[in-house]
Amino acid sequence: MIARRDILRARVAFGLALLIAALIYLPGLRGSFQFDDYPNIVDNKALDVRGKPASAWWDAAMASPSAELRRPLAMLSFAAQIATTGLDPVPMKVINLLIHLLNGVLTWLVLRRLFEMAALRRAEQAAIVRTEWLATGVAAAWLLAPINLSGVLLIVQRMEIAAHTAVLLGLLGYLAARRRLLAGMPGAWRAGMATALATGIGALFKESAILLPLYALLIELAVLGLRDGQGRLDRRLLVLFGVLLVLPGLAGLAWLLPRVLTPGAWASRSFDLGERLLTEARVLWDYVGWSLLPRLTSLSLFHDDYLVSTGWMAPPTTLVAAFGWLAWFTAAVLLRRRVPLAALGMAWFFAAHLLTATIVPLELVYEHRNYAASLGLYLAAADLLMCLAPPILPHARRALAAGLIFMFALTTTLRAQEWGDPIRFALSEAQRHPSSPRAGYDLGRSYVLLSQYNATSPFTARAMAELDRTAALAGASALSDQGLLILAARSGLPLDPAWWTRLQDKLRRRALGVQDISALRALVNCATSRDCAFPPEDMVATFLAALDRNPRSTQLLSIYADYALGVLGDAELALRLTGDALAIDPRDPQLVRNHEHVQREVGQAQETTTAPARSQSIGR
């Protein structure tokens, strides 16, 4: 009776944690779109399927500018929301919060099953109550963790959190099948199907879901030992991981390595492969600190001012970080027998960063990359607290855990309130990262919105000063230059020729990134809508500067074609540009449609009689 009552209390406590998480996040739902929301959602015209034929849904699914796999399920979810509630950030954030709460429930269920199976392996038959409370504590900490907030309130990160939903469902299915195997019943086929299906669905949201088989293998190595109910090595599991993990892993490396080892893969970055690996050794330790002992002044959306490691001693903390990870892995191996869940959590954290902190040429630091990884840290901390600190009174351990969760809840509350007020958010980000081009641009953009493009508004002067300062920062993209030009043009203020020169020099020196493409698109949109009277010679010079450095950018050629057709009225130039883009990537359906449209504009109807069938075929 006492055990049943304690179990009920643990479940009520987790329900309370869910309610607290929902209440804490509510102020943040009032916030606006941020950063990557703009190129992926706001400025992504393909997502607006209203009034378009059914085939537009396919275009929406393939509309992600972020990855080769396109993340179609995530893009379809955005398109569905735009079709029902318009381009309103609040409903989108509500859906993200609901997914996060669902993930909290799934995390709790996975942990309960994992703790139960670990207790059975260690013959701890009386551990049911402790299992409930451990699962509740770890799941509550993960649910309320401040480092996970940007994964929820940055709308585009629905890709990450929905992929994690599939991962958690896959782990639930895998653990259920493993329980059958341990009981001597058939289950290997179920384990494989649950893992494969969840991995495939999750990857349609984001590629991070492909780590699911690795998580399952880590559970085996740390807790279950790849054994059957009689303690013998289960060879069916070896086959399963060979098919679902080893072979796909080798195929993935064969596909990825030629791409990341070419110099062009790093052309748009301010670091190379070696510098990235050195820097990530420090970044991962920062993630550990931000996850376990978060401080409001350290947490941020923007970390583009992070110092790159150029050698083992530049800065010296690079070598210290590398030795720290060597000690981390050694400890995980040594702890595996005594505290297997702690070893699992330590390995889980690093495994979750296998895609984002190694050889893929991504940007260096983002907090939302810890949405899955932070769970490993909280699992390890809980198991170490329970198993390595027996002299601590149970009440003291509970008080310590409760205090940590309370600190998480308080910090997340303050962060959610910041995210709910765009001006407060922009100011706080710029104060924490004064040398961050993105934080400065976000503050300048906030001032622009307040100015309402009124030349006499005090916010106009503030916006121009901040955008001009930010555009000159090292590593700045074209976003601030674009913001400055559009603000001056729409406010009726003179355009400084030095702004055009700086923008053109920047585009001529560097490979185009996502932000640069977004900036050029915004300039063209403002010009074609007749809101901005940009000098044509400056716009053309800007495109030519970008093409000098990026002659094979199909996005750049398409944007230039839009300007040529919509502003210059030069259909022949637009036709050449769309033709060049199509020659680079003849299987891209959007490039086909762009070229068809321009052909019709120049009266080449005879060349488009079979074009619609061609584009539909490519689309399929």
Side-chain angles (χ1 to χ4, degrees):
M1 183 63 70
I2 294 176
R4 187 174 299 174
R5 187 163 58 239
D6 285 342
I7 291 173
L8 180 60
R9 288 174 180 169
R11 295 179 179 181
V12 170
F14 179 68
L16 183 61
L18 283 172
L19 177 61
I20 292 172
L23 294 175
I24 283 175
Y25 272 92
L26 280 180
L29 302 181
R30 299 192 300 266
S32 59
F33 292 106
Q34 293 290 345
F35 188 45
D36 277 349
D37 290 339
Y38 284 93
N40 285 277
I41 301 172
V42 180
D43 299 329
N44 196 339
K45 305 304 181 186
L47 292 182
D48 191 353
V49 299
R50 292 173 292 185
K52 296 180 181 178
S55 59
W57 286 95
W58 173 262
D59 295 337
M62 297 291 107
S64 173
S66 302
E68 290 191 43
L69 296 184
R70 301 295 185 182
R71 304 166 183 175
L73 291 184
M75 303 310 291
L76 282 175
S77 74
F78 297 136
Q81 283 206 263
I82 293 173
T84 53
T85 59
L87 204 58
D88 184 349
V90 175
M92 294 186 178
K93 295 192 180 197
V94 169
I95 295 298
N96 280 20
L97 176 56
L98 292 175
I99 295 172
H100 181 56
L101 297 176
L102 172 61
N103 286 346
V105 174
L106 295 174
T107 297
W108 180 66
L109 293 173
V110 168
L111 290 171
R112 284 180 65 236
R113 184 156 290 171
L114 188 58
F115 284 133
E116 288 172 3
M117 297 178 77
L120 290 173
R121 291 290 294 175
R122 291 186 283 188
E124 298 176 10
Q125 301 295 337
I128 298 176
V129 173
R130 189 176 72 175
T131 290
E132 292 285 341
W133 279 107
L134 275 172
T136 293
V138 175
W142 180 84
L143 194 63
L144 298 168
I147 200 167
N148 290 333
L149 178 136
S150 62
V152 180
L153 295 184
L154 184 61
I155 297 170
V156 72
Q157 288 313 317
R158 180 180 303 174
M159 299 173 177
E160 179 67 36
I161 63 176
H164 193 57
T165 305
V167 168
L168 291 168
L169 287 169
L171 286 175
L172 273 177
Y174 180 82
L175 291 174
R178 279 297 278 129
R179 196 167 188 175
R180 289 175 57 87
L181 287 174
L182 289 172
M185 296 185 290
W189 176 254
R190 296 188 183 192
M193 286 299 297
T195 306
L197 186 61
T199 301
I201 293 175
L204 296 178
F205 283 100
K206 195 173 183 180
E207 298 81 355
S208 53
I210 66 174
L211 295 172
L212 169 56
L214 179 58
Y215 296 144
L217 178 60
L218 292 178
I219 290 173
E220 290 291 342
L221 296 177
V223 179
L224 303 178
L226 293 165
R227 304 289 175 176
D228 60 18
Q230 284 72 45
R232 297 170 301 192
L233 181 66
D234 195 330
R235 300 184 183 279
R236 293 170 297 179
L237 296 175
L238 297 179
V239 174
L240 186 151
F241 287 110
V243 172
L244 296 182
L245 181 60
V246 177
L247 292 179
L250 293 175
L253 280 175
W255 175 83
L256 182 62
L257 284 176
R259 288 164 170 78
V260 302
L261 295 179
T262 57
W266 302 88
S268 62
R269 302 298 180 200
S270 59
F271 47 85
D272 58 26
L273 174 58
E275 291 170 338
R276 185 176 204 280
L277 293 174
L278 290 172
T279 307
E280 287 297 333
R282 294 169 36 236
V283 171
L284 291 178
W285 280 113
D286 280 330
Y287 288 159
V288 172
W290 297 342
S291 298
L292 295 176
L293 294 172
R295 293 182 297 129
L296 194 62
T297 54
S298 300
L299 299 169
S300 176
L301 173 61
F302 303 110
H303 294 281
D304 52 314
D305 56 346
Y306 199 90
L307 179 64
V308 175
S309 293
T310 56
W312 289 107
M313 296 297 292
T317 50
T318 305
L319 185 61
V320 176
F323 277 113
W325 287 115
L326 181 61
W328 178 282
F329 294 127
T330 303
V333 172
L334 295 177
L335 290 171
R336 188 179 70 85
R337 291 193 178 276
R338 187 176 177 189
V339 275
L341 291 174
L344 170 62
M346 296 169 73
W348 181 293
F349 172 78
F350 195 83
H353 287 294
L354 200 58
L355 293 178
T356 58
T358 53
I359 63 174
V360 181
L362 303 172
E363 297 189 42
L364 293 174
V365 189
Y366 278 122
E367 291 175 11
H368 63 254
R369 292 174 180 170
N370 292 274
Y371 193 76
S374 59
L375 178 59
L377 294 178
Y378 304 140
L379 175 61
D383 201 34
L384 288 171
L385 184 62
M386 289 296 299
C387 299
L388 295 185
I392 300 178
L393 295 175
H395 293 300
R397 283 190 297 207
R398 291 171 191 162
L400 181 61
L404 184 66
I405 293 172
F406 175 78
M407 180 185 69
F408 282 8
L410 179 60
T411 307
T412 301
T413 299
L414 296 175
R415 289 201 79 193
Q417 290 173 350
E418 281 186 354
W419 277 70
D421 184 338
I423 300 301
R424 179 181 172 185
F425 175 82
L427 283 169
S428 64
E429 291 285 325
Q431 289 168 358
R432 290 169 190 159
H433 296 275
S435 58
S436 163
R438 290 173 183 168
Y441 169 72
D442 191 59
L443 178 58
R445 186 179 58 83
S446 299
Y447 286 145
V448 169
L449 296 176
L450 290 173
S451 75
Q452 297 183 338
Y453 299 103
N454 183 346
T456 61
S457 169
F459 292 110
T460 300
R462 293 185 191 179
M464 295 189 75
E466 184 63 25
L467 291 171
D468 195 29
R469 181 192 73 84
T470 304
L473 289 174
S477 70
L479 282 176
S480 290
D481 304 277
Q482 157 250 293
L484 194 59
L485 289 165
I486 290 178
L487 173 60
R490 293 192 61 175
S491 302
L493 297 171
L495 301 176
D496 189 338
W499 298 343
W500 290 107
T501 301
R502 179 174 59 195
L503 172 60
Q504 291 157 13
D505 288 344
K506 189 177 294 183
L507 296 175
R508 192 177 288 110
R509 290 195 313 267
R510 51 184 283 172
L512 289 178
V514 175
Q515 284 74 43
D516 300 309
I517 289 292
S518 179
L520 291 172
R521 171 61 67 189
L523 289 173
V524 170
N525 288 344
C526 196
T528 54
S529 66
R530 309 307 182 204
D531 289 326
C532 298
F534 296 134
E537 60 274 17
D538 289 321
M539 285 290 288
V540 171
T542 299
F543 280 113
L544 293 178
L547 284 169
D548 279 346
R549 182 66 177 79
N550 307 271
R552 294 184 60 81
S553 171
T554 58
Q555 290 178 296
L556 176 60
L557 291 166
S558 298
I559 295 170
Y560 189 10
D562 289 345
Y563 181 76
L565 190 63
V567 178
L568 300 179
D570 191 339
E572 293 290 345
L573 173 59
L575 184 64
R576 289 200 303 273
L577 292 168
T578 57
D580 290 344
L582 190 58
I584 294 169
D585 189 358
R587 295 192 59 80
D588 188 320
Q590 188 59 53
L591 298 180
V592 173
R593 281 190 289 273
N594 292 346
H595 193 56
E596 293 167 0
H597 171 68
V598 179
Q599 283 179 321
R600 286 190 290 270
E601 291 293 324
V602 296
Q604 296 181 359
Q606 69 278 8
E607 295 187 21
T608 65
T609 53
T610 61
R614 179 190 177 200
S615 65
Q616 290 171 12
S617 175
I618 292 176
R620 292 193 190 95

